[in-house]
Amino acid sequence: MKNIIIKIASYSSLAIILIFISSLQVHAQRFRGKIEYYSSVFPSEDGKIKSINGTRITYYNSVFKSEDGKVKSIGDKRIEYYNSVFPSEDGKIKSLGDVRVSYYNSVFPSEDGKLKTIGNIRFAYYNVSTSKSNGKIKSIQNDGEDSASEEALDTYYLIEKLNRQ
């Protein structure tokens, strides 16, 4: 009986320690900043994020469907979009400041319209129609370890999230 009580106590203390450690990790990952939202008469920006920790975010109010309501700038970094006859790139990000973004215009559905480059970062996709990996990313390579391209990649994913709100 004494052994059972000792085992239960040791398991309980182990569980408490694990919960304490995980709560410290969650606490460290929390966002500690200020987010402001637009309250606007323009539907293209109403309810969208206006600033994050003082960094202003603006949106296009445009007659072009390919850019209306999408992020125009983050801080001093201007964002441009393709107005193209190719559906694979129309309305997609064209540049992030000085960093250009390109997409595949391909006969292969596994890569058509997907990211090709962000600055010096190149994306490659599997093109095997019988495989479950068809159309999934095969490799991402940063030629020359370009830090501006790395920053642009992070900004690209942030903009994609903001444009979906």
Side-chain angles (χ1 to χ4, degrees):
M1 182 74 171
K2 185 178 179 183
N3 288 340
I4 293 174
I5 293 173
I6 292 173
K7 283 184 181 182
I8 290 173
S10 66
Y11 287 132
S12 298
S13 62
L14 180 62
I16 290 171
I17 290 171
L18 289 175
I19 290 170
F20 178 72
I21 290 171
S22 66
S23 71
L24 289 177
Q25 290 175 343
V26 169
H27 181 69
Q29 294 173 0
R30 253 190 252 159
F31 174 73
R32 298 179 196 277
K34 184 176 181 184
I35 298 176
E36 295 180 90
Y37 296 89
Y38 280 101
S39 178
S40 175
V41 295
F42 297 109
S44 57
E45 60 186 25
D46 189 41
K48 293 190 176 181
I49 295 175
K50 182 178 185 177
S51 68
I52 300 173
N53 282 339
T55 301
R56 188 164 173 81
I57 300 171
T58 61
Y59 299 86
Y60 282 99
N61 291 314
S62 177
V63 295
F64 296 110
K65 181 184 165 200
S66 58
E67 64 187 17
D68 187 45
K70 293 184 177 176
V71 175
K72 182 177 184 179
S73 66
I74 298 176
D76 61 351
K77 186 176 288 191
R78 185 160 174 81
I79 315 303
E80 294 181 26
Y81 297 85
Y82 284 101
N83 289 314
S84 176
V85 295
F86 297 109
S88 59
E89 64 186 19
D90 188 44
K92 293 185 178 176
I93 297 171
K94 181 179 185 178
S95 66
L96 304 158
D98 296 332
V99 179
R100 301 285 296 175
V101 179
S102 66
Y103 302 87
Y104 284 100
N105 289 318
S106 176
V107 295
F108 300 111
S110 59
E111 63 186 17
D112 189 44
K114 292 186 178 176
L115 271 174
K116 183 176 185 179
T117 62
I118 295 180
N120 291 324
I121 299 174
R122 292 179 302 142
F123 296 80
Y125 300 88
Y126 284 103
N127 193 8
V128 182
S129 61
T130 58
S131 174
K132 289 183 180 182
S133 61
N134 187 36
K136 294 184 180 175
I137 293 178
K138 181 178 185 179
S139 67
I140 301 172
Q141 296 177 326
N142 185 355
D143 296 335
E145 298 297 321
D146 182 17
S147 62
S149 295
E150 291 283 340
E151 183 182 326
L153 178 62
D154 292 339
T155 304
Y156 175 87
Y157 287 120
L158 172 63
I159 291 168
E160 287 295 311
K161 288 180 181 181
L162 291 171
N163 284 340
R164 283 193 297 262
Q165 58 172 322

